[in-house]
């Protein structure tokens, strides 16, 4: 069996030929001396030059940037991120009723600032029994943004605008239900 490998950064003159023989029924099969490649058979200078002049892989640049950013973190921040990525713990703050109250108040202030510019959210607020005004609904967006009220307000408004675009004014009165989906959407949801 002959395997030819040409690394993308090498030209045809630096192609490496790796030859081997394999018979699964025979043990200790020796390769003929003429088949074994020698270190001197490979022109290492050409390979090195080709590697240096090759175009860099974009994923290498991303890896380098991420590596630099991680190196600049404090040990505690790096450890916290490492533990969250591996599921050891979470960076989310410890929740309690005091945090909920304070965060919901901040979110209400941020939403009041956004309300005049976003008519869909304004329409939802005018509906007296709208789920949009319930604390449980709002806490979902606060949790998604680690209790950052400004980001949670932007996320909530964006959600309402998108849901209104797809499902109409019914989403301002109640959460989206399975019956709101078209047959095609329901089939896609079932299929995964």
């Amino acid at each position: 069996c002959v395997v030819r490998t040409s690394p993308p950064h090498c030209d045809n003159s630096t192609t490496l030929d790796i030859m081997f023989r394999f018979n699964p029924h025979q043990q200790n099969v020796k390769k003929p001396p003429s088949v074994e490649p020698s270190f001197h058979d490979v022109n290492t200078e050409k390979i090195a030059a080709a590697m240096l002049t090759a175009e860099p892989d974009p994923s290498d640049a991303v890896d380098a940037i991420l590596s630099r950013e991680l190196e600049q973190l404090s040990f505690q921040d790096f450890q916290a991120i490492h533990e969250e990525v591996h599921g050891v713990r979470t960076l989310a703050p410890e929740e309690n009723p005091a945090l909920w109250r304070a965060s919901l108040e901040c979110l209400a202030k941020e939403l009041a600032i956004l309300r005049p510019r976003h008519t869909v959210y304004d329409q939802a607020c005018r509906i007296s029994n709208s789920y949009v005004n319930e604390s449980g609904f709002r806490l979902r967006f606060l949790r998604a943004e680690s209790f950052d009220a400004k980001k949670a307000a932007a996320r909530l408004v964006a959600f309402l605008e998108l849901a209104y675009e797809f499902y109409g004014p019914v989403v301002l009165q109640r959460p989206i239900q399975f019956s709101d989906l078209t047959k095609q959407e329901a089939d896609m949801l079932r299929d995964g």
Side-chain angles (χ1 to χ4, degrees):
C1 186
V2 176
V3 177
R4 282 185 187 242
T5 58
S6 280
H9 55 273
C10 297
D11 60 9
N12 288 337
S13 64
T14 58
T15 298
L16 305 176
D17 292 336
I18 301 170
M19 303 179 76
F20 62 92
R21 291 181 178 207
F22 177 73
N23 185 342
H25 302 293
Q26 292 180 351
Q27 305 252 341
N28 301 328
V29 175
K30 293 196 174 199
K31 296 176 189 172
S34 62
V35 174
E36 292 183 24
S38 166
F39 177 75
H40 300 290
D41 293 342
V42 178
N43 189 336
T44 55
E45 291 175 8
K46 284 187 178 181
I47 292 174
M51 291 174 70
L52 292 175
T53 59
E55 292 183 25
D57 186 7
S59 64
D60 291 343
V62 172
D63 289 345
I65 292 169
L66 287 173
S67 179
R68 250 183 283 128
E69 291 296 322
L70 286 172
E71 288 173 358
Q72 292 176 1
L73 291 174
S74 69
F75 176 76
Q76 289 80 12
D77 290 341
F78 177 81
Q79 193 67 23
I81 290 171
H82 183 72
E83 288 177 358
E84 182 168 356
V85 166
H86 294 286
V88 177
R89 72 179 178 113
T90 179
L91 293 178
E94 188 69 34
E95 290 189 30
N96 57 51
L99 175 67
W100 295 337
R101 275 192 301 280
S103 297
L104 286 169
E105 287 175 15
C106 291
L107 179 61
K109 289 176 186 174
E110 292 296 331
L111 287 170
I113 294 169
L114 294 177
R115 186 174 176 175
R117 293 181 296 189
H118 298 279
T119 57
V120 174
Y121 174 70
D122 187 48
Q123 289 175 17
C125 289
R126 292 181 190 193
I127 299 171
S128 61
N129 59 351
S130 175
Y131 73 105
V132 173
N133 298 318
E134 295 174 4
S135 60
F137 175 75
R138 292 179 175 204
L139 278 170
R140 292 177 192 170
F141 293 92
L142 284 165
R143 287 184 181 117
E145 295 294 346
S146 298
F147 289 88
D148 183 329
K150 190 170 189 160
K151 289 180 180 178
R155 182 182 285 256
L156 190 150
V157 167
F159 163 76
L160 286 176
E161 289 176 350
L162 186 65
Y164 185 83
E165 180 182 330
F166 284 111
Y167 301 104
V170 70
V171 298
L172 304 180
Q173 300 167 1
R174 62 172 174 74
I176 300 168
Q177 298 175 352
F178 191 77
S179 60
D180 295 328
L181 302 177
T182 65
K183 179 169 177 13
Q184 183 183 10
E185 291 167 338
D187 291 342
M188 288 172 53
L189 185 63
R190 281 190 195 105
D191 292 342

